[in-house]
């Protein structure tokens, strides 16, 4: 028998559950939602030399998720605004003609997000865990599934080729390397590990990331905390 008191308690629990689910669904279906990222830090206890020394391609990650501050810091190192006035915004990595062909995406267990450098925000592109699909698009590189964050660099070549012709394609690839190295070194500085991925099916990867036709995936970087045995190396 359920007593009157228990019935009242059940009623309140049900109300809380209904409202918390309602809140989640609103978040989950709101693809226009943007999330303001915490301001990046410009100080760390790890020197750039130490980051260069310690950087290795690591393909196993612990279960620990990254928080918004760590995700924001990595995206800032990739493409954050580092100098600005009313006429221009310059970013963390150099870019031919300051034309910035790269779009930067974050794939987390929660969904796919696009980085907006100017406002240091991420915009929801798709919700839900797409990491299995991404691993499958990358020829079954399954460590993508255990990475709490994969940053994908995708190029809109026309931003460069309109000015530089075919040479603009080379410039985009050079720039992807600059951006990627910033990410790898920032990861080390945060106590994280990363791995570059160039082997993936372009079309399948573009489909998973919901890329527009003019945007080509170039480079993916899974990032996470090292497994405990890795820490001891
Ligand atoms: C352009 C590029 C593409 C790469 N693609 C992959 C990849 O698809 N999968 C992978 O596991 N490692 C990939 N790597 C990582 C290399 O295997 C790794 O850098 C190399 O073994 C040297 O090891 P280190 O990064 O620890 O110095 C890639 C590296 C580069 C630079």
């Amino acid at each position: 028998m359920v007593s009157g008191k228990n019935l009242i308690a059940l009623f309140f629990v049900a109300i809380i559950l209904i409202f918390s689910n309602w809140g989640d669904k609103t978040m989950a279906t709101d693809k226009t939602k943007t999330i303001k990222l915490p301001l990046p830090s410009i100080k760390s206890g790890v020197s750039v030399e130490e980051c260069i020394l310690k950087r290795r391609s690591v393909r196993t990650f612990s279960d620990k998720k990254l928080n918004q501050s760590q995700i924001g810091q990595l995206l800032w190192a990739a493409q954050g605004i580092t100098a600005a006035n009313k006429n221009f915004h310059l970013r963390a990595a150099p870019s031919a003609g300051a034309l910035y062909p790269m779009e930067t995406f974050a794939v987390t267990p929660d969904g796919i997000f696009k980085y907006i450098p100017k406002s240091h925000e991420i915009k929801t592109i798709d919700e839900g865990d797409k990491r299995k699909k991404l691993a499958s698009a990358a020829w079954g590189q399954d460590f993508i599934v255990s990475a709490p964050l994969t940053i994908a660099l995708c190029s809109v070549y026309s931003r460069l080729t309109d000015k530089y012709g075919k040479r603009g394609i080379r410039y985009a690839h050079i720039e992807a390397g600059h951006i990627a190295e910033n990410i790898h070194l920032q990861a080390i500085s945060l106590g994280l590990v990363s791995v570059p991925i160039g082997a993936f099916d372009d079309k399948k990867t573009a489909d998973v990331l919901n890329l527009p036709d003019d945007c080509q995936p170039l480079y993916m970087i899974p990032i996470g905390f090292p497994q405990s045995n890795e820490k001891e190396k």
Side-chain angles (χ1 to χ4, degrees):
M1 277 284 280
V2 184
S3 72
K5 259 189 185 170
N6 284 346
L7 259 179
I8 292 168
L10 274 173
F11 174 77
F12 279 111
V13 169
I15 294 287
I16 289 165
L17 284 176
I18 287 165
F19 277 97
S20 56
N21 270 344
W22 173 80
D24 280 345
K25 274 186 192 151
T26 328
M27 266 183 69
T29 52
D30 186 0
K31 290 191 183 172
T32 59
K33 187 171 178 274
T34 54
I35 300 163
K36 194 103 195 141
L37 294 165
L39 283 178
S41 165
I42 51 160
K43 290 248 185 302
S44 97
V46 193
S47 70
V48 69
E49 293 83 357
E50 197 177 338
C51 293
I52 292 169
L53 178 73
K54 287 189 173 162
R55 184 213 59 81
R56 283 273 76 81
S57 293
V58 176
R59 298 169 182 84
T60 50
F61 307 99
S62 85
D63 293 339
K64 202 170 155 194
K65 273 179 141 189
L66 270 63
N67 61 32
Q68 274 188 12
S69 162
Q70 290 153 339
I71 293 173
Q73 188 72 34
L74 288 156
L75 292 170
W76 172 82
Q79 283 286 268
I81 303 297
T82 48
N85 68 21
K86 63 179 174 0
N87 299 317
F88 64 80
H89 289 82
L90 300 175
R91 300 188 187 177
S95 179
L99 291 171
Y100 302 112
M102 224 61 71
E103 297 292 347
T104 308
F105 295 86
V107 180
T108 78
D110 300 323
I112 298 174
F113 306 87
K114 182 177 167 179
Y115 181 54
I116 316 291
K118 251 188 180 178
S119 51
H120 195 53
E121 289 175 327
I122 46 174
K123 179 175 182 275
T124 308
I125 300 296
D126 206 352
E127 68 280 311
D129 194 347
K130 310 293 175 196
R131 294 177 299 170
K132 270 191 185 159
K133 284 188 176 168
L134 200 61
S136 156
W139 312 114
Q141 300 197 60
D142 279 339
F143 50 85
I144 292 174
V145 181
S146 58
L149 171 69
T150 291
I151 295 181
L153 304 176
C154 306
S155 173
V156 180
Y157 286 110
S158 59
R159 290 181 196 159
L160 288 167
T161 54
D162 285 355
K163 179 167 182 186
Y164 299 113
K166 264 170 63 184
R167 203 163 185 84
I169 293 171
R170 178 193 298 218
Y171 291 167
H173 298 170
I174 293 171
E175 185 169 333
H178 287 302
I179 298 169
E181 190 66 358
N182 278 7
I183 296 169
H184 293 303
L185 297 181
Q186 178 69 79
I188 295 295
S189 162
L190 293 172
L192 303 167
V193 289
S194 63
V195 55
I197 293 194
F200 50 81
D201 181 288
D202 292 346
K203 169 85 179 66
K204 286 183 186 163
T205 303
D207 285 348
V208 176
L209 296 172
N210 288 292
L211 297 183
D213 287 346
D214 66 347
C215 193
Q216 304 294 315
L218 277 189
Y219 200 142
M220 292 203 282
I221 301 165
I223 303 161
F225 286 93
Q227 284 190 330
S228 45
N229 59 340
E230 306 266 351
K231 269 185 206 151
E232 285 148 27
K233 278 184 188 172

